[in-house]
Amino acid sequence: MIGAYPFSAVVGLDDLKLALILNAVSPRVGGVLVRGEKGTAKSTIVRALAAQLPGVKVIAGCRFSCDPAEPDPACPDGPHGTGESGQERPAALVELPVGASEDRLVGALDIERALTEGVRAFEPGLLAAAHRGVLYVDEVNLLHDHLVDLLLDAAALGTCFVERESVSVRHAARFLLVGTMNPEEGELRPQLLDRFGLTVEVRASRNPDERAEVVRRRLAFDADPASFAAGWAEQEAALARRIAEARERVTKVVLPDARLRQIAAVCAAFEVDGLRADLVTANAAVAHAAWRGGAEVTAEDVRAAARLSLPHRRRRDPFDAPGLDESRLDDLLAEHGGDEPDGPDGGPDGSGGPGDSDGPEGPADSGDAPESGSAEGSVRAGSDEGDSHDDGAGASAAPGASDGNGTPPDLPAAEPYRVRPFQVPGLGDGASGRRSRARTPNGRTTGSRVPAGRLQRPHLPATLRAAAPYQRERGRSGPGLLVRDTDLREAVREGKEGNLVLFVVDASGSMAARQRMREVKAAVLGLLLDAYQRRDKVGLITFRGSTAELVLPPTSSVEVGAARLRELPTGGRTPLAAGLRRAAEVLRVERLRDPARRPLLVVVTDGRATSGSDVAASAALLAGTAAVVVDCESGPVRLGLALDLAARLGAPVVRLDAPAAGGGLGGLGGLVRDHRTDYRKAV
């Protein structure tokens, strides 16, 4: 079996190494979220961390990893005596697959055995296996909502509760939560995002020498893993010793009151929500001081901790990229601390990471450049900073004005609207979400059925009703029912699903000429925000000139969708039919790729079609697809062309009223546009 790639052999990624090491030194830091593009060694370095963690002592035979010195009094395998002998084993690295079931995560009571054999049996889940170790979730942003809820409960309480048909089991579940994600595939729920103590943004190096070294080492590892690991054994052992020493030292590190006030001032100045940021920053600063061998937290430790603990807590809505203005951080530290950090990355020698001269890196790493990877200062969609071409500038542009290349200037979006929810009719079987009705593993029980395979969600009353008529012929003579496999019934539950929301947006000159594009962008941004909150996938098609373009293939990342919308050019004729045909083709492909996810088509147009083929024939290709038409027509005289399109699609129509009329988005909005949605409270 091929072992893990050595932690010390990973080239660069100093911020990520430091974040993982701080958590290894002090589990109180609260875990790490690693954001980055694909192919940046996110999973490799996380798996390599387990080898650097000190071993744990456990009670022999306990499936819940109880500590012999302090056993859990409620352990299902207990009670354990305080004098029981223990054994040492490596810290566990448990991986939670994105598609795992609830039973696999928290454990399961075997109801089938309980009903047929009268045995009360509990099988521990992944949370039990991860106790006192690391729980690693690759692609954590794709994790189903019901699993996120269970993770949140366990992370908050340090305890896993399993409730199954009047039987209750609880056990300790304290673990280091590490997640990796590609932001292009969607963002995390704010509640789970806040549970990660630190976050690191990683990007592939653009330095040819560094990239070559990455490939060189990987090829050597793939050719002979054992020999490659042996070559790095000395650095790995040195790193493990340094982590163990820092762990022993961390409880003795002093956090002066002046540094604590400095942390509080920085967190308040960056307007983070709640006090978790202050606690995480304080714990990370203490861990950083222990890691560098200090006895007291300094401004350098506070800076290193703040760089990793604050970026993801500064996001005000899902369209903001996480980031931290480090020059402002330096100013705040100087203002509230009275001294300047020594180096640009907060380390004692200015490096701030484990790649220090006395750290684990080998000689080939001496030239590695740190990859901080955190974006600085994001501009919110529709904010003053991002809206330098304000209403006055937009209104002064002449209809059809050009930037010199035949394309009218881009118009910024107004503030996103709050929108009323739209649903796909009927009952689906799609991915867990919050939009349309669907049969889901969680939700309210609406009935029962005979299980197709292994019993997953037992419906006890229905099982008993199925068994009751046959008790006499089965020879029942005492209390209790005689239950057979054929009597077993599972629950049918109804909840909500996420859908594919495909936007088809008219970007032609007729929209730009009337300065409607600004309000259209605000409308679509509001719909994108709604899609984020309801766990939808989104896609964006625009049509202008003579063609339609898929500017955003279906994705779970509304952040990418908002960026593409802001960059949207306008002008030219109106090929409405081309936009509808492109939508039909995209939906056809998506049905093959993800057949369980039902689509919702949102067409944003004034209904005009000044070029291309027959609209009626193109609309016929979308027959049976749930759709909504947002009518952008304005002016005293309205032709009602969007109404005709809606009739062909069998879709409701909502109107984009002028903001001056006070209607916001009319039927689509229902609420005034100057009150922005607080997405943290809405999810």
Side-chain angles (χ1 to χ4, degrees):
M1 181 178 177
I2 298 178
Y5 190 90
F7 188 92
S8 305
V10 176
V11 178
L13 303 182
D14 287 355
D15 278 355
L16 178 52
K17 290 179 182 178
L18 178 62
L20 292 171
I21 286 175
L22 293 182
N23 276 275
V25 170
S26 175
R28 291 184 178 181
V29 173
V32 184
L33 174 64
V34 188
R35 295 166 47 93
E37 57 196 12
K38 51 188 176 292
T40 48
K42 300 187 298 293
S43 300
T44 297
I45 195 170
V46 171
R47 294 188 175 101
L49 172 69
Q52 304 303 323
L53 297 177
V56 295
K57 287 187 177 180
V58 299
I59 294 176
C62 178
R63 298 174 297 168
F64 301 88
S65 303
C66 281
D67 187 347
E70 197 176 349
D72 180 8
C75 176
D77 283 356
H80 301 300
T82 54
E84 286 197 38
S85 61
Q87 62 185 29
E88 185 167 317
R89 63 163 175 78
L93 174 66
V94 177
E95 297 192 34
L96 171 60
V98 170
S101 66
E102 180 179 337
D103 288 348
R104 184 73 185 97
L105 178 62
V106 301
L109 294 170
D110 197 333
I111 300 298
E112 188 170 340
R113 290 187 62 193
L115 291 175
T116 59
E117 303 175 27
V119 176
R120 178 180 173 182
F122 175 72
E123 185 67 27
L126 296 177
L127 291 181
H131 179 49
R132 305 176 65 199
V134 179
L135 181 64
Y136 170 47
V137 189
D138 193 13
E139 306 294 351
V140 63
N141 51 324
L142 304 182
L143 204 62
H144 290 303
D145 273 2
H146 67 286
L147 297 182
V148 171
D149 293 337
L150 294 170
L151 272 182
L152 287 172
D153 290 342
L157 302 174
T159 304
C160 176
F161 292 92
V162 186
E163 304 288 343
R164 292 291 187 275
E165 307 297 338
S166 301
V167 181
S168 176
V169 173
R170 64 156 298 278
H171 62 81
R174 294 183 294 274
F175 47 83
L176 171 62
L177 182 61
V178 180
T180 57
M181 60 175 283
N182 183 350
E184 292 182 359
E185 296 175 342
E187 285 296 337
L188 273 181
R189 281 175 56 180
Q191 295 95 327
L192 183 57
L193 182 65
D194 191 52
R195 284 290 171 189
F196 286 98
L198 310 178
T199 186
V200 179
E201 188 95 10
V202 296
R203 298 184 181 89
S205 172
R206 297 298 181 257
N207 184 320
D209 294 336
E210 188 168 332
R211 294 173 73 97
E213 182 63 22
V214 171
V215 175
R216 187 179 299 115
R217 293 187 188 184
R218 187 71 216 191
L219 292 176
F221 175 78
D222 292 340
D224 190 349
S227 176
F228 184 85
W232 287 89
E234 185 176 344
Q235 290 91 332
E236 290 286 273
L239 177 60
R241 285 195 301 271
R242 187 176 173 187
I243 290 175
E245 292 168 359
R247 271 199 168 193
E248 294 178 0
R249 192 164 43 238
V250 72
T251 57
K252 303 172 185 176
V253 172
V254 176
L255 177 61
D257 191 63
R259 295 295 163 232
L260 182 57
R261 289 178 177 274
Q262 191 178 44
I263 290 170
V266 168
C267 292
F270 279 115
E271 299 181 347
V272 297
D273 290 338
L275 292 172
R276 183 173 285 119
D278 305 60
L279 291 169
V280 169
T281 305
N283 284 321
V286 169
H288 190 271
W291 167 248
R292 66 175 176 80
E296 182 176 295
V297 173
T298 66
E300 290 79 15
D301 300 318
V302 174
R303 186 185 194 279
R307 287 182 60 250
L308 299 173
S309 64
L310 298 185
H312 61 301
R313 293 185 166 88
R314 293 191 59 246
R315 299 190 74 202
R316 311 311 301 175
D317 64 45
F319 303 140
D320 291 340
L324 197 68
D325 186 340
E326 295 193 22
S327 63
R328 187 182 179 210
L329 173 61
D330 291 337
D331 292 342
L332 290 169
L333 291 172
E335 177 184 351
H336 297 281
D339 56 280
E340 295 280 355
D342 290 339
D345 288 318
D349 60 356
S351 65
D356 301 342
S357 58
D358 60 343
E361 295 290 342
D365 287 320
S366 58
D368 290 346
E371 293 187 37
S372 62
S374 70
E376 294 187 11
S378 58
V379 178
R380 197 180 313 171
S383 67
D384 292 338
E385 293 91 337
D387 213 1
S388 58
H389 312 298
D390 58 12
D391 288 322
S396 63
S402 172
D403 60 0
N405 295 318
T407 301
D410 185 24
L411 293 176
E415 201 78 356
Y417 292 105
R418 294 174 64 177
V419 300
R420 77 163 187 245
F422 292 103
Q423 294 186 354
V424 177
L427 192 64
D429 292 290
S432 177
R434 296 186 175 185
R435 183 173 296 278
S436 306
R437 294 175 55 222
R439 289 176 287 265
T440 60
N442 300 282
R444 62 186 182 91
T445 301
T446 58
S448 64
R449 64 187 176 195
V450 177
R454 186 179 182 275
L455 185 66
Q456 297 291 337
R457 300 177 296 275
H459 192 295
L460 190 56
T463 298
L464 298 180
R465 284 197 300 269
Y470 306 103
Q471 296 305 297
R472 180 175 297 178
E473 63 185 72
R474 290 175 182 175
R476 173 188 168 193
S477 58
L481 292 177
L482 297 177
V483 180
R484 303 287 184 261
D485 291 347
T486 54
D487 301 326
L488 298 177
R489 298 292 184 271
E490 67 179 6
V492 176
R493 294 173 180 165
E494 183 178 314
K496 296 285 188 179
E497 68 176 359
N499 299 111
L500 166 60
V501 181
L502 182 61
F503 298 97
V504 181
V505 179
D506 184 349
S508 65
S510 64
M511 304 288 283
R514 294 170 175 81
Q515 300 301 321
R516 303 301 297 158
M517 209 58 206
R518 178 179 171 85
E519 298 305 320
V520 167
K521 288 185 178 184
V524 179
L525 281 174
L527 289 162
L528 279 171
L529 180 60
D530 182 65
Y532 168 81
Q533 294 166 351
R534 299 183 188 283
R535 309 291 175 260
D536 295 319
K537 289 177 71 173
V538 295
L540 177 61
I541 294 172
T542 63
F543 56 93
R544 57 186 286 266
S546 60
T547 60
E549 179 185 3
L550 178 64
V551 297
L552 179 67
T555 176
S556 296
S557 176
V558 297
E559 181 182 331
V560 176
R564 299 286 174 84
L565 188 70
R566 286 194 290 266
E567 299 165 359
L568 183 66
T570 61
R573 297 175 68 81
T574 311
L576 176 57
L580 299 177
R581 288 198 306 274
R582 192 77 171 95
E585 176 61 20
V586 169
L587 294 180
R588 184 188 68 80
V589 173
E590 286 301 309
R591 286 189 186 99
L592 297 175
R593 182 177 298 157
D594 191 358
R597 189 179 290 270
R598 297 188 294 164
L600 174 63
L601 182 68
V602 179
V603 184
V604 185
T605 180
D606 57 9
R608 289 176 172 81
T610 59
S611 71
S613 56
D614 182 26
V615 172
S618 300
L621 299 175
L622 294 164
T625 302
V628 176
V629 175
V630 180
D631 183 3
C632 301
E633 190 174 25
S634 62
V637 178
R638 302 195 180 208
L639 303 179
L641 299 176
L643 297 176
D644 294 339
L645 174 62
R648 296 182 188 280
L649 294 174
V653 180
V654 291
R655 246 181 30 184
L656 181 65
D657 289 327
L665 207 57
L668 184 61
L671 293 170
V672 294
R673 62 179 287 263
D674 12 322
H675 181 65
R676 187 171 202 164
T677 301
D678 185 344
Y679 86 107
R680 299 178 190 225
K681 297 177 181 177
V683 294

